[in-house]
Amino acid sequence: MPLVIIAIAAALGIGFWLGRLSFGRAVSSLTAELSALEGRARLRDEEAKAAGSRAEASEARLAELRLSLDGVETGLRELAALHGQLYARAPLHDRLLDLVAKKSEAAAFALMDEVSAISSRLSATLAEANGFQRKLEADGSVGEIVADARAAAGGEMKSAEELLKSSKEIVAATRRMRELVEGSMGMLKDIEDVSERSRLIAFNLAVEAARIGRHGLGIKVIVNELSHINDKIIDFSKTAAARLAENRDLGVRIADEVERGIADVAARIHEGSAASERALERLIAGAEGMGRLVSSLSSSFAEARDGVDAMLVSLQFQDITRQQLETVRWSLAEAAERQRAALGDEGLRRAAGEAPEEFKRMLYAKAKVQDEKALIMEGAR
Amino acid sequence: MTIMNVDDSSTMRRIVTMSLAPSGHQVVEAENGADALAKLKASPADAVVLDINMPVMNGLELLKAMRADPALKRIPVVMLTTQGEEETRNEAIGLGANGFLAKPFQKEELLAVLKKVAGI
């Protein structure tokens, strides 16, 4: 009995503990499930909140899109009006583009032709100047040339002075010769006087010989011979004196002429020397001027060449711009064609007529020359 | 040296001629690819300065035709390009272009690229 009771008690105890264990497990399981349910519920709440946010964001985005679409629609309408205006004014734009490009190109090419012609002339002149300079350099520097010329002029001057000195010596010798001639003429006169006296003596002897008769015949022959010799001496003396006088006069004239010539030549030499010096100074100045001219021409030539090069580049820019404008013009024309297809002629006319005044004022303000302004006014009408 | 100058723009043709003539080159002008091809066949040039965008026959078509012609295939060709033509430039290299020059160019640049590709 007690064993039974004990057994029952033990069984009950075991059952209690087993039941407690099972209940605990069930409670734990239930608790875990509840936690999971709570987590899912939170997740759903969060998802719901996120969905709400997304919905709000979507609505906001939709509102933005609607605004954008409105903007696009407005823009398209404005674009249609602009296309219409541009299409209506395309001929005016074409003429403006052509006018501006042709005018500026014609002016630029005309200027470049002129600059090229001037450059060619400058180039030719520069080549000549450079050739001259090279020649100067080949011959030596201008300073050396001048120094050589001065040395040569100095040598010539020295030679001329020596010549003058010799000429003066000749004049002096001529004058001494005149004195000698005059001395000789005096001697001839003395000889002539002696001869005259000798003839007188001979005459007296002849008279004396005639007076003594036959014994004087020998004396008479000697006297005759003496008279004859005397006559010859006198004739010779006279002739010689005359010739000497002529020579003396000639010598005097020559001496005078040479003296005058010497003075003239000396003056000319001095004048020539001064002229040579002036010429050399001018040569130096000319060479320096040529150097400056060559330098100036070189600078001008370089500037002209740079100017032409810059203009060539500018014209390329203009040509590229013109081509791009043509491309834009073609695009606009195509757009206008599409616009016309979409709007019809009436729609285009209506769009083109909508307030082009602002556009016209803008073009008019940018117009550079009267022709363009006139064209704009013509196009605006 | 004789240089063929091909461009539909009379302005650009004149600019190229003015850039080359002072250096002693004889410049023959053509206003599109077909015009140039006919002139080259009649009298081959020593080099060609070629624009790309032209009516009738463009620069790439002319280049292709030249490279296919035994008489013209060895003539050096300098292409004149503008910005935004990189793809066209690659195509031109594939077709056998010898040199490129972007517009606007300096006269010295044109002479230098011609010297480089044609030795003139």
Side-chain angles (χ1 to χ4, degrees):
Chain A
M1 188 63 182
L3 285 172
V4 172
I5 293 169
I6 290 168
I8 291 169
L12 286 171
I14 291 167
F16 173 76
W17 281 108
L18 286 173
R20 189 175 174 183
L21 184 62
S22 174
F23 179 75
R25 283 180 181 165
V27 167
S28 294
S29 173
L30 189 59
T31 302
E33 194 171 343
L34 280 172
S35 294
L37 282 171
E38 281 176 359
R40 282 199 292 274
R42 278 198 299 273
L43 191 61
R44 283 197 193 94
D45 284 347
E46 286 172 2
E47 284 176 351
K49 284 178 185 172
S53 298
R54 282 200 296 274
E56 286 175 1
S58 295
E59 280 181 9
R61 180 68 183 147
L62 277 172
E64 285 175 6
L65 282 173
R66 271 196 292 277
L67 281 173
S68 298
L69 281 172
D70 289 345
V72 168
E73 195 177 346
T74 306
L76 282 172
R77 276 199 295 274
E78 288 173 355
L79 193 61
L82 181 62
H83 280 171
Q85 291 169 17
L86 289 171
Y87 180 77
R89 277 157 180 74
L92 168 65
H93 301 160
D94 289 351
R95 289 173 66 186
L96 278 174
L97 280 173
D98 289 344
L99 182 71
V100 173
K102 281 176 184 170
K103 276 189 173 180
S104 57
E105 276 182 21
F109 279 124
L111 184 60
M112 279 201 298
D113 286 343
E114 187 65 25
V115 170
S116 295
I118 292 169
S119 292
S120 298
R121 287 200 294 276
L122 273 175
S123 180
T125 309
L126 196 57
E128 286 177 10
N130 281 329
F132 178 74
Q133 273 204 327
R134 278 197 296 276
K135 188 175 182 302
L136 283 181
E137 286 166 6
D139 291 344
S141 69
V142 174
E144 288 172 352
I145 292 171
V146 169
D148 289 346
R150 277 183 175 146
E156 287 172 5
M157 187 72 182
K158 192 175 176 184
S159 300
E161 283 172 351
E162 285 175 359
L163 181 64
L164 284 175
K165 189 179 172 187
S166 301
S167 300
K168 284 176 182 173
E169 285 172 358
I170 289 169
V171 169
T174 306
R175 283 180 177 152
R176 280 199 306 277
M177 193 180 288
R178 186 181 66 182
E179 290 168 1
L180 289 173
V181 166
E182 284 175 349
S184 298
M185 287 172 70
M187 286 172 69
L188 283 172
K189 185 64 181 170
D190 289 345
I191 291 168
E192 194 180 337
D193 288 346
V194 168
S195 296
E196 286 288 344
R197 284 181 186 170
S198 179
R199 192 162 63 178
L200 189 63
I201 290 168
F203 179 73
N204 288 334
L205 283 173
V207 170
E208 197 63 30
R211 196 165 55 84
I212 64 174
R214 191 174 170 190
H215 296 288
L217 287 176
I219 294 170
K220 189 179 179 182
V221 170
I222 292 168
V223 167
N224 285 339
E225 190 62 26
L226 184 62
S227 296
H228 185 65
I229 288 170
N230 278 336
D231 290 342
K232 281 188 175 178
I233 287 171
I234 289 167
D235 287 344
F236 169 76
S237 295
K238 285 182 177 173
T239 304
R243 285 183 180 172
L244 281 173
E246 284 176 7
N247 286 337
R248 180 200 61 193
D249 293 342
L250 182 63
V252 168
R253 279 202 308 276
I254 288 172
D256 290 345
E257 284 176 10
V258 168
E259 203 162 20
R260 280 197 301 274
I262 286 169
D264 188 42
V265 168
R268 283 174 190 274
I269 285 172
H270 286 294
E271 187 183 333
S273 175
S276 296
E277 189 62 29
R278 286 196 298 275
L280 288 173
E281 293 295 336
R282 283 199 294 274
L283 176 62
I284 293 169
E288 288 172 353
M290 179 63 77
R292 286 196 298 274
L293 179 64
V294 168
S295 175
S296 174
L297 281 175
S298 299
S299 299
S300 301
F301 184 62
E303 283 174 11
R305 194 179 50 204
D306 290 346
V308 169
D309 290 351
M311 208 169 284
L312 284 173
V313 173
S314 299
L315 279 171
Q316 288 179 68
F317 271 119
Q318 179 174 291
D319 197 60
I320 291 165
T321 306
R322 184 183 58 77
Q323 289 184 12
Q324 287 173 342
L325 283 172
E326 278 183 0
T327 306
V328 171
R329 193 172 57 183
W330 275 104
S331 301
L332 284 173
E334 284 180 6
E337 280 298 324
R338 285 198 296 273
Q339 201 68 35
R340 191 165 68 91
L343 296 175
D345 288 340
E346 182 57 32
L348 262 185
R349 271 196 294 275
R350 202 166 48 246
E354 288 174 1
E357 289 303 317
E358 186 61 30
F359 184 68
K360 186 183 75 178
R361 276 197 294 275
M362 182 189 76
L363 277 180
Y364 193 85
K366 287 182 182 298
K368 296 288 190 298
V369 294
Q370 198 57 40
D371 287 354
E372 294 173 37
K373 292 181 188 294
L375 267 175
I376 291 164
M377 295 307 292
E378 182 188 333
R381 280 197 297 274
Chain B
M1 294 293 178
T2 302
I3 298 168
M4 174 69 75
N5 167 18
V6 194
D7 204 307
D8 60 319
S9 163
S10 61
T11 303
M12 196 56 71
R13 286 201 304 274
R14 197 163 175 185
I15 289 167
V16 170
T17 299
M18 287 187 81
S19 299
L20 297 175
S23 299
H25 298 304
Q26 185 185 353
V27 184
V28 179
E29 295 185 3
E31 61 184 22
N32 57 55
D35 184 21
L37 192 60
K39 287 177 177 171
L40 284 169
K41 282 181 176 175
S43 178
D46 297 300
V48 175
V49 178
L50 182 56
D51 185 33
I52 293 178
N53 292 317
M54 290 182 291
V56 185
M57 177 189 271
N58 68 31
L60 294 176
E61 290 167 339
L62 173 61
L63 181 60
K64 195 173 179 180
M66 284 177 65
R67 294 305 180 234
D69 188 327
L72 308 177
K73 66 189 299 181
R74 295 191 187 283
I75 296 177
V77 175
V78 173
M79 308 293 293
L80 289 180
T81 64
T82 52
Q83 285 185 341
E85 289 186 335
E86 284 74 17
E87 286 184 11
T88 312
R89 181 181 169 131
N90 291 334
E91 193 178 348
I93 290 171
L95 288 172
N98 303 88
F100 294 89
L101 191 60
K103 291 186 278 189
F105 57 83
Q106 298 274 351
K107 184 176 70 178
E108 286 74 18
E109 292 174 329
L110 177 59
L111 291 169
V113 73
L114 278 170
K115 186 175 182 182
K116 185 180 173 186
V117 304
I120 55 178

